[in-house]
Each structure stands twice: as structure tokens, then as C-alpha cells.
């Protein structure tokens, strides 16, 4: 039923910040510059080319309420996840009513569709107020669902996001992870890697968008994620300064950095714009040859997994 | 005498709101460009003693730019402010509405300096250049500089100008050249670095100051197709990275990058300096030298060996 590439809708009322998210994450726009972007009037899509190719489609928010038409029926047959963006700095009751309309439609036509609610623009709120807002929104949405008696037909999750820090990348990472069918295999691979090489934390990053496709099963600490994602920037920027040759099939990029409390950051380029980034202690960095050998095994595994994925998709697409 | 020779007085002047304290905070106090929005107005003169390269102290006088304070600088306090100045850094806001008044203030400063410290070096920073459209920046900058050159000619000072912005790497370029002017044995650093780069068969070797990551010196071979702004960009990249390391409650110590086309090594050289060595592209390297696998290790060894020499150079500077 669904085409080869998963599709994600980004919806929300106008001025809720949908285009800003798209431009900051996929086009590397500076967050401050998004103050000046114009309102999006047509459906705009952007392709994330990574381990799983995902199409993100942004629907314009001008429609006051969601009105079902044959066109939307067709659109909704092709969607695999839905992101609904709510402006947390504005009055959100209106947005919640709109969301309710969409959820009712989803429950009827596409039960089980994954709906992600981004409580957006939380950068202007204090920490306490963020949690209050989140609780309030969750409460209201769930109450409405129970009233409409559809609470079992939709799967909802909530995220606090802002384009001025890393939270938007983290939220989107979780969304794309849900759309990657090979996620268990990837996680298992990283778990094995961490166990056998003495690595504290490993992320599989998509370098261009800086979202992570998978991580090992230890809990994600946002600070670790930020440092790893900044580390990618450093490696890529430095390499760009001195490498005029362009992308070349040679040795993959490899970058290590030592901090003075003994933490070692390690980056290794993988297939299709992916990179593995680790955080480890200096003790395990002494066995760097072992880490490198294990990393090569992961790279091999990733290639095989991707080849298998492609093979299984080609007959489906034709 | 030794005390005065390693203490250097820098005056940071400019009309109010032109961005003087923001610059200082970014370069010397690890602020990010966003953080500077929180800075309030400076009152009177804010002194800061910044240690640079270990034993050199930069005595930075951040002078408030409000008219009320300005007036006292040129009347009652002139003797105190303008005596024994080594460097004047005058900041101009490109968006300023009273350019003639800005230039007038600059002229007043120069007049005092020609009386009290005729050997001072003058730098002008055309600041907030990010507010001008990219195509017009060059034009705005050169017309400003022409006006300022004419002003300064009367007092016999040659001036150096930079277009700067806190939102990109131009700030590092300007400050790097200001600070380099103050290092006495620059030539020794340069020649030793040249030698080092040659021995390591490096494409380029760069010396950075540790806390500010300003470029002190560099030795380059094959500069043909390299980015002319690379030094400032590196300062900027590493500075951002250092901030991100502080999130882990730690400090940056070293970095090794083995890219598809080059190898980059950044390491501590002395207690006050970092060195960055760039080895050329792989094929070239294979042909010209006998080094291939493990070239990073050899450079690391070289750095270790060079440590003593550079430490001695630093000590020499103190005397």
C-alpha cells in the first residue's frame, strides 16, 4: 500500500513553526534567520536520503480546520507518520481543536497511524513552565480522545522542541527511528559493539541532518548527544577547509579527540552519509586497534543490511 | 622595567553601543555570540588583565562610550587614560547615524595619543558588518577606511583596519593580528615553526594561543588552492568545540582527523599554545616521502620533540 519511501507529514496551524523546522534541519538555515521566512502556501516536500529514505511533506497551515476532501483521503493513504506542531508560546486551544479534528479523521481512516505532537518554541519558556505546558496539553488531548471514544485507535507521543537547541533534532530522530524497520538489528549491532569494545555510548548519525538513526540501549543523555553532534561539525568543517578533492572513494573519514578528563570522542564515516560517533574512556582508547577492528565489522554489517534492504525493495517498487 | 615590558596597555574605544564589550567577551571570556545580548552598558572604564601566552599580560581598558564618560576622557582623565598606551582599538558601528561624530571622537583620541603615547599602534574595526548586504560590504568598508585614513594622517599615525562581525570569523582575524603585533619575538616563533613544518613534511603548521585560540604564527607550503580565511575559521570552529566540551565538564586536549584527502593533528604544544599540523593528500604523500601508515604517530613524536624548543622561546619572551 505505502510506496517504497516512508512519508511523514508536518502539519500545524499557520505560524506554528513548521517551515522553520524544515529549513533548520534540512537546509542548515541559521535559527535566527527563520524569523524572516515567508509563509508556505503549497505542500512542500523534502527528501532525507539516509539509511531509510524518508520524505517529509509540509502541509500549509492556512486551512482553519481540517476538512476532509477526496484529496486528503488520497494523501492520507500514503502517509506513514504525522507530526503535528503546536506553538507553545501562543494560545494553543485553537491548535488543540484542530488536532482533535485530525485525530478523529485518522482514527476513522488510518487507525494506528503514528502521530507525534511537537510542543514547539519552548525556548522562551522556563523549565517549570515547559513541563506544565506539556502536562496540560497531554491532559487535554487525552480527555478529548476519551470523550470521542477513539483513544485506542491513535498512537500519540509528545515532544518538547525548539529550533534554538538540539531538542528538535532529538525529537525528529525518534520519529525517523520509528520508521526504520531495521532498527532492532541496528541497535543490536551497536549494543554488541559497546559491550565488546568498552564504549560508553555509540550513536549512528546522519551527518547532513545530524539526527541519529540508532543508539545503543543505554539511556540517551541530551548533553552527550549535543557534544557528539557538535563533534561532527568540527570534523566535517575542518575536513572541508583542507580537502579540495571532493568526496572520493578512498579511506573513510576518521576523527578522534581527547578531552582532559579522559573522555575520548571517536567518529568513523559509514555508508550513505552515515557516521558512527562514540564516547569512550581513555582506558578503552588504549585498545584502539580493537575498537577499529570492531568498527570495521559494524561497517560491514551495515553494508550488508543496506544491500538486503535494497534487494527487498526493488521488486516491490517495480 | 620587566614589569612594564610584559604588561601592555590596550585601549578599547568607540561610541556607546558599538559592540566593544561584546568583542571582549567573545574573544577572552568564551561567550557565544548569542550570550552577548545579555551584556549591559559598561560604566566608566572596565579594566581587565588578561594573561596571554603565559607571561604576557594584556591590560585591556574597555572604555564606556556614552558622551558623558567620553567627555571626561578628553578633559579631566586624559593624562590617566592616554599615557603609556601601546594599542588603541577603535570600534565603529556601521549602522551608526552620526558618522561625523564618530570620526570626531576618533580624531580626539588620536590627538591625545600624539601627545601622550606617540608610539601607539592604531587599529580601527568597522564593526557589525553583518548588518550590511554582502555585496555592499567592501564598498562601505573602503569608504569608511578612506575617511579614517585622512583623519589619522594629520596626527601622523598609520592605521590598520578590519571589517568585523561577532557572527562570523572576521573577529578572530582582527584580534589575531592585533595581538600578534604585541608579541616581541615573533620572528623566532616563525622560523622555528617553518623548520618544524619542513621536518614533518607538513602542508601547513599553525600555532594557536591556548585560551583564546587566536593564531600566533603559521608556516605554509603549497598555499595555492587553500581558503584564505582558513585561520579565522579554524579559530572559530575550535572555539565553538571548546564550549561544547565544557558541557561535559571537561576541556579540549587534542584532536586527530584522518580525512579522505588530508590528515589534521591538533595538540598541546606548550602550556600556553596549541599546534595544528596538516599533512597533505594521501597520494602526494606516498610519492614524495617514505612515510605512509602511522604518519600521525610520527608527527606526534615530532611535536613532543619540538615542545622543549618552544617552551624556551616562551621563556625568552619574558626577559
Amino acid at each position: 500500500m505505502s510506496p517504497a519511501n516512508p512519508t511523514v507529514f508536518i502539519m500545524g496551524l499557520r505560524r506554528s513553526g513548521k517551515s522553520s523546522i524544515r529549513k533548520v534541519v534540512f537546509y542548515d538555515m541559521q535559527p535566527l534567520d527563520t524569523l524572516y521566512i515567508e509563509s508556505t502556501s503549497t505542500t512542500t516536500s523534502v527528501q532525507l536520503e539516509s539509511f531509510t529514505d524518508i520524505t517529509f511533506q509540509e502541509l500549509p497551515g492556512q486551512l482553519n480546520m481540517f476538512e476532509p476532501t477526496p484529496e486528503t483521503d488520497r494523501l492520507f493513504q500514503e502517509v506513514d507518520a504525522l507530526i503535528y506542531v503546536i506553538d507553545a508560546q501562543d494560545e494553543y486551544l485553537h491548535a488543540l481543536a484542530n488536532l482533535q479534528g485530525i485525530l478523529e479523521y485518522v482514527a476513522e481512516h488510518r487507525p494506528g497511524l503514528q502521530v507525534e505532537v511537537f510542543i514547539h518554541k519552548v525556548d522562551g519558556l522556563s523549565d517549570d513552565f515547559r513541563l506544565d505546558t506539556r502536562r496540560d496539553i497531554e491532559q487535554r488531548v487525552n480527555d478529548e480522545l476519551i470523550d470521542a471514544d477513539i483513544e485506542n485507535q491513535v498512537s500519540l507521543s509528545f515532544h518538547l522542541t525548539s529550533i534554538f537547541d538540539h531538542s528538535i533534532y532529538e525529537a525528529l530522530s525518534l520519529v525517523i527511528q520509528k520508521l526504520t524497520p531495521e532498527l532492532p538489528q541496528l541497535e543490536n549491532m551497536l549494543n554488541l559493539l559497546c559491550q565488546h569494545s568498552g564504549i560508553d555510548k555509540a550513536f549512528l548519525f546522519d551527518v547532513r541532518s545530524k539526527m541519529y538513526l540508532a543508539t545503543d540501549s543505554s539511556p540517551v543523555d541530551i548533553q552527550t548527544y549535543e557534544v557528539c553532534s557538535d563533534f561532527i561539525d568540527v570534523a566535517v568543517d575542518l575536513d572541508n577547509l583542507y580537502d579540495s578533492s571532493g568526496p572520493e572513494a578512498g579511506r573513510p573519514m576518521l576523527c578522534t579527540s581527547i578531552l582532559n578528563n579522559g573522555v575520548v570522542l571517536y567518529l568513523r564515516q559509514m555508508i550513505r552519509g552515515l557516521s558512527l560517533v562514540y564516547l569512550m574512556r581513555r582506558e578503552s582508547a588504549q585498545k584502539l586497534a580493537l575498537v577499529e577492528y570492531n568498527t570495521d565489522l559494524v561497517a560491514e554489517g551495515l553494508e550488508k543490511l543496506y544491500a538486503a534492504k535494497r534487494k527487498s525493495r526493488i521488486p516491490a517498487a517495480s | 622595567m620587566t614589569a612594564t615590558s610584559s604588561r601592555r596597555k590596550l585601549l578599547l574605544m568607540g561610541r556607546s553601543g558599538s559592540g566593544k564589550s561584546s568583542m571582549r567577551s567573545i574573544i577572552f571570556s568564551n561567550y557565544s555570540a548569542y550570550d552577548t545580548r545579555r551584556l549591559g552598558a559598561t560604566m566608566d572604564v572596565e579594566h581587565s588583565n588578561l594573561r596571554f601566552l603565559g607571561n604576557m599580560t594584556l591590560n585591556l581598558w574597555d572604555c564606556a562610550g556614552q558622551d558623558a564618560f567620553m567627555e571626561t576622557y578628553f578633559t579631566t582623565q586624559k593624562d590617566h587614560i592616554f599615557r603609556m598606551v601601546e594599542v588603541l582599538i577603535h570600534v565603529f558601528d556601521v549602522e551608526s547615524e552620526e558618522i561625523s561624530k564618530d570620526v570626531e571622537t576618533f580624531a580626539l583620541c588620536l590627538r591625545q595619543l600624539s601627545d601622550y603615547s606617540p608610539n601607539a599602534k592604531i587599529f580601527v574595526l568597522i564593526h557589525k558588518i553583518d548588518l550590511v548586504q554582502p555585496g555592499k560590504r567592501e564598498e562601505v568598508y573602503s569608504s569608511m577606511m578612506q575617511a579614517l585614513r585622512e583623519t589619522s594622517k594629520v596626527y601622523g599615525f598609520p592605521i590598520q583596519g578590519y571589517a568585523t562581525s561577532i557572527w562570523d570569523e572576521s573577529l578572530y582575524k582582527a584580534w589575531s593580528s592585533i595581538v600578534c603585533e604585541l608579541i616581541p619575538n615573533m620572528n623566532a616563533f616563525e622560523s622555528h615553526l617553518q623548520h618544524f613544518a619542513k621536518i614533518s613534511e607538513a602542508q601547513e603548521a599553525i600555532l594557536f594561543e591556548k585560551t583564546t585560540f587566536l593564531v600566533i604564527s603559521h608556516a605554509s607550503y603549497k598555499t595555492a588552492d587553500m581558503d584564505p580565511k582558513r585561520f579565522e575559521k579554524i579559530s572559530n570552529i575550535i572555539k565553538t568545540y571548546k564550549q561544547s566540551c565544557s558541557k561535559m565538564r571537561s576541556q579540549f586536549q587534542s584532536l586527530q582527523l584522518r580525512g579522505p584527502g588530508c590528515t589534521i593533528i591538533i595538540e598541546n604544544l606548550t602550556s600556553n599554545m596549541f599546534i595544528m599540523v596538516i599533512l597533505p593528500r594521501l597520494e602526494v604523500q606516498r610519492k614524495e616521502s617514505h612515510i605512509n601508515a602511522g604518519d600521525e604517530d610520527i608527527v606526534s613524536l615530532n611535536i613532543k620533540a619540538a615542545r622543549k624548543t618552544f617552551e624556551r622561546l616562551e621563556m625568552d619572551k619574558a626577559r
Side-chain angles (χ1 to χ4, degrees), chain B residues 59-295:
Chain B
N59 201 350
L60 190 66
W61 294 38
D62 184 358
C63 306
Q66 286 83 351
D67 290 342
F69 294 121
M70 278 286 187
E71 233 146 75
T72 62
Y73 300 155
F74 300 125
T75 53
T76 50
Q77 290 187 312
K78 62 183 176 188
D79 174 75
H80 170 60
I81 300 247
F82 292 100
R83 189 176 289 272
M84 290 178 47
V85 173
E86 290 213 27
V87 171
L88 169 75
I89 303 156
H90 204 108
V91 185
F92 292 89
D93 181 351
V94 276
E95 275 218 316
S96 165
E97 282 165 5
E98 304 168 288
I99 293 181
S100 58
K101 200 168 173 194
D102 294 348
V103 177
E104 207 175 287
T105 326
F106 181 55
L108 278 173
C109 280
L110 290 181
R111 181 186 303 157
Q112 300 301 339
L113 279 180
S114 63
D115 287 350
Y116 288 99
S117 357
N119 293 324
K121 295 181 178 111
I122 316 290
F123 291 90
V124 291
L125 306 183
I126 313 298
H127 198 44
K128 306 196 187 176
I129 199 80
D130 55 295
L131 297 173
V132 181
Q133 290 169 20
K136 285 194 177 159
R137 285 179 191 171
E138 192 57 36
E139 193 187 321
V140 169
Y141 171 69
S142 52
S143 71
M144 268 302 265
M145 280 311 288
Q146 198 168 0
L148 295 177
R149 280 217 175 87
E150 260 157 41
T151 320
S152 65
K153 214 181 273 168
V154 185
Y155 302 97
F157 284 114
I159 61 169
Q160 285 188 52
Y162 297 94
T164 57
S165 153
I166 58 169
W167 299 100
D168 61 24
E169 63 280 346
S170 56
L171 195 62
Y172 292 95
K173 184 190 172 84
W175 277 88
S176 183
S177 40
I178 291 172
V179 167
C180 280
E181 286 278 331
L182 295 170
I183 299 175
N185 52 350
M186 222 27 216
N187 294 337
F189 277 112
E190 215 150 88
S191 64
H192 279 85
L193 194 67
Q194 291 273 355
H195 192 56
F196 177 84
K198 205 163 192 177
I199 293 174
S200 314
E201 300 186 348
Q203 179 180 350
E204 185 156 68
I206 311 168
L207 274 186
F208 295 94
E209 203 275 332
K210 188 180 179 184
T211 44
T212 55
F213 243 84
L214 294 176
V215 175
I216 298 169
S217 174
H218 65 94
S220 317
Y221 298 93
K222 306 181 202 115
T223 41
D225 50 348
M226 284 198 276
D227 186 345
K229 283 187 179 173
R230 60 189 181 280
F231 303 123
E232 304 92 270
K233 282 185 181 160
I234 297 166
S235 296
N236 202 0
I237 293 169
I238 303 291
K239 204 78 191 279
T240 325
Y241 180 50
K242 280 176 80 173
Q243 269 167 26
S244 131
C245 289
S246 63
K247 280 181 205 154
M248 308 265 301
R249 278 169 239 94
S250 179
Q251 275 169 346
F252 166 70
Q253 196 173 48
S254 75
L255 185 139
Q256 279 196 10
L257 174 81
R258 209 167 70 197
C262 63
T263 301
I264 297 174
I265 296 159
I266 304 177
E267 243 179 74
N268 238 329
L269 184 61
T270 68
S271 50
N272 308 302
M273 279 192 283
F274 271 95
I275 190 166
M276 172 161 170
V277 183
I278 296 98
L279 300 176
R281 294 184 47 180
L282 197 65
E283 314 86 87
V284 182
Q285 204 180 306
R286 281 249 163 84
K287 243 179 269 164
E288 288 179 1
S289 82
H290 309 292
I291 307 170
N292 45 59
D295 42 359

